[in-house]
Amino acid sequence: QVQLVESGGGLVQAGGSLRLSCAAAGGTFSSMAMGWFRQAPRKQREFVASISGSGGATYYADFDRFTISRDNAKNTVYLQMNSLKPEDTAVYYCAGTDKFGDMRYDQANEYDYWGQGTQVTVSS
């Protein structure tokens, strides 16, 4: 069983930056595609970014301010968020999938494992 634990959320002013981390335990991390999703109050969960197991392929929703990366030696995936806006306020979740192939995986139902989420609040 794979466990994912997010960290790095918090309160930041508009224009600021945060780096989220997601540590994985169990499973073979380097073979798992990983993704970040977010869910704002009263909104559906939405895709933010994903990264292949090797880290060689990355995919994004319309977020040119965010960068996804991973360190397979540390079993950790990151989401660097810059120039944050109040509309970025949400609970951010990391997710992992055992599916093979460097695909975009931008649908929540494509993922097998989820973290508990970390709150990001951006004040204006």
Side-chain angles (χ1 to χ4, degrees):
Q1 183 71 14
V2 175
Q3 292 184 326
L4 303 176
V5 178
E6 302 98 334
S7 60
L11 174 64
V12 63
Q13 288 189 332
S17 298
L18 281 175
R19 188 176 80 155
L20 306 183
S21 299
C22 173
T28 304
F29 183 72
S30 60
S31 68
M32 294 172 53
M34 301 294 295
W36 285 97
F37 288 74
R38 70 183 188 182
Q39 188 165 17
R42 299 174 298 280
K43 291 189 176 181
Q44 292 203 348
R45 191 168 299 191
E46 64 174 344
F47 170 74
V48 175
S50 62
I51 187 167
S52 64
S54 67
T58 57
Y59 305 91
Y60 296 90
D62 191 18
F63 295 109
D64 57 0
R65 298 173 288 115
F66 296 177
T67 303
I68 190 171
S69 62
R70 68 190 297 160
D71 184 341
N72 286 345
K74 295 182 178 179
N75 286 0
T76 302
V77 62
Y78 305 97
L79 184 68
Q80 177 67 42
M81 305 186 294
N82 298 327
S83 302
L84 284 162
K85 303 175 181 180
E87 50 264 44
D88 294 319
T89 295
V91 177
Y92 284 72
Y93 298 90
C94 86
T97 177
D98 291 327
K99 293 179 176 62
F100 181 79
D102 293 346
M103 306 295 287
R104 182 178 172 88
Y105 299 127
D106 60 0
Q107 302 298 308
N109 61 13
E110 294 180 294
Y111 288 84
D112 305 297
Y113 313 106
W114 289 86
Q116 81 289 350
T118 186
Q119 176 71 46
V120 171
T121 303
V122 184
S123 63
S124 57

